[in-house]
Amino acid sequence: MPELPEVETIRRQLAPHLEGRTLLGVQILDPRWTRPDSSEEVAAGLRGRRVVHVGRYGKYLVWELSGERFLLTHLRMTGSLLFDAPVEPLHTRVRFELDAGHRLIYVDPRRFGTGHLVAGPEERDAYLHQRLGIEPLTPEFTAEHLHALTRGRRAPIKAFVLDQRRIAGVGNIYADEALFRAGIHPLRPAGRLNKADWERVRAGIEEALGAGIAAKGASIDDFRHVDGARGSFQDRFMVHQRAGEPCPRCATTIRKLVVGGRGTYVCERCQPRPRPRARRGGARRVVSGGEQL
Ligand SMILES: [Zn+2]
């Protein structure tokens, strides 16, 4: 699934092609894309509008259009946007006809992607803030903020990092890469991290996302650039999908665990497992969670 760096890569590639261009015609071939809104109404609402700016919030692309309309698109599992594709691919869901003969195609084999048209910045913000927490790579993304969000929470740090309503845009790949960089075990209860731990997590997230953007995203599945090319971050993973290989820092074998139902990769030397709290009246040790695969 595309995560923040993949969507940011698409945004950076699309913006120069789209900004200033007019949507002469929009054909929404799959009504699921706009559900619960009518695809005919959305297509009619887009027609004739100029693309003012292509932005991003979390994994959403935010298209600012003339007349203060905003198109909010999410690629979900298998969506991709192709600019001036020589051949129209199978599973084309939406066609955007632009001026000067250009064309943007939205392709999505599994059809989970969405497009919503809203009027005005208030509606835009209401839509996004209902679904998304704090955006990394902004000045508001601080250790203090993260620490405050998790006080008293027992959920593992990885589950917290993956929760889009807490932190926008980080998925399974970048959560593993960020926690490795931070030296924090994914099973550590989020509420027990101290300020210094949070500073490492914050820095780890920013570094992992930055490395992903620099490599133009990871193509381990359907993710493609707007010209159909693949990203290269999958060749630079430090731990993600590297079970059985040596840790790039200490050469300990990387292990795969399951945390919150997600395959999770960890170096348990660089990321020490949380010590179970000593039980009252006994020295019983229980290692909780994290079944081994
Ligand atoms: Zn290591």
Side-chain angles (χ1 to χ4, degrees):
M1 178 195 270
E3 303 183 28
L4 188 156
E6 286 73 37
V7 180
E8 177 62 17
T9 298
I10 292 171
R11 188 198 72 73
R12 290 181 183 189
Q13 294 177 345
L14 272 187
H17 290 307
L18 298 188
E19 288 173 4
R21 297 230 173 268
T22 300
L23 298 168
L24 297 181
V26 178
Q27 292 139 28
I28 301 172
L29 309 174
D30 182 358
R32 229 168 102 160
W33 193 61
T34 60
R35 233 158 41 186
D37 303 329
S38 142
S39 55
E40 288 85 3
E41 280 175 28
V42 172
L46 290 170
R47 216 162 285 141
R49 291 195 191 275
R50 193 168 43 83
V51 181
V52 176
H53 179 71
V54 182
R56 182 190 55 74
Y57 196 111
K59 303 181 197 174
Y60 280 86
L61 280 180
V62 179
W63 308 39
E64 183 185 349
L65 306 170
S66 53
E68 290 222 315
R69 294 297 191 277
F70 295 89
L71 177 66
L72 310 170
T73 60
H74 198 302
L75 303 168
R76 299 288 165 198
M77 306 285 288
T78 57
S80 48
L81 285 159
L82 300 174
F83 186 78
D84 282 350
V87 181
E88 183 168 298
L90 270 177
H91 312 297
T92 293
R93 307 295 177 201
V94 186
R95 289 188 201 111
F96 301 89
E97 309 285 353
L98 303 154
D99 59 81
H102 293 294
R103 192 150 91 138
L104 182 70
I105 299 268
Y106 176 66
V107 186
D108 191 351
R110 292 189 63 186
R111 304 168 65 207
F112 291 120
T114 56
H116 287 286
L117 183 61
V118 298
E122 292 80 15
E123 268 192 44
R124 173 200 61 194
D125 292 348
Y127 184 95
L128 295 172
H129 293 156
Q130 208 181 338
R131 291 163 174 80
L132 301 172
I134 190 165
E135 159 77 27
L137 314 178
T138 62
E140 293 77 46
F141 189 70
T142 61
E144 290 72 25
H145 188 105
L146 294 169
H147 190 220
L149 279 177
T150 49
R151 215 157 279 154
R153 296 193 165 262
R154 289 197 203 150
I157 175 69
K158 177 154 178 194
F160 171 80
V161 170
L162 286 177
D163 184 347
Q164 298 301 299
R165 290 163 304 170
R166 302 290 174 181
I167 302 176
V170 182
N172 207 34
I173 295 173
Y174 294 94
D176 283 355
E177 295 293 297
L179 292 175
F180 173 74
R181 282 169 162 83
I184 302 282
H185 197 286
L187 282 172
R188 283 187 57 187
R192 294 217 201 118
L193 269 61
N194 62 29
K195 276 269 174 64
D197 293 332
W198 278 117
E199 185 45 43
R200 282 152 62 199
V201 171
R202 183 205 60 76
I205 290 173
E206 289 195 354
E207 283 168 24
L209 295 175
I213 292 169
K216 298 191 168 65
S219 292
I220 51 172
D221 41 37
D222 298 75
F223 172 69
R224 292 294 180 272
H225 296 164
V226 301
D227 61 359
R230 293 162 60 87
S232 66
F233 193 58
Q234 67 279 4
D235 304 326
R236 300 177 203 189
F237 290 165
M238 290 185 162
V239 289
H240 188 72
Q241 296 194 342
R242 294 211 180 279
E245 296 179 32
C247 165
R249 290 211 177 125
C250 75
T252 298
T253 304
I254 294 164
R255 308 178 81 161
K256 182 179 183 185
L257 316 175
V258 174
V259 179
R262 308 295 299 273
T264 295
Y265 300 83
V266 60
C267 168
E268 291 197 310
R269 187 160 174 207
C270 293
Q271 300 163 270
R273 223 171 223 267
R275 290 235 308 273
R277 279 195 164 171
R279 297 223 171 172
R280 236 183 309 164
R284 204 174 140 214
R285 298 238 151 190
V286 181
V287 177
S288 58
E291 76 194 79
Q292 299 284 338
L293 282 186

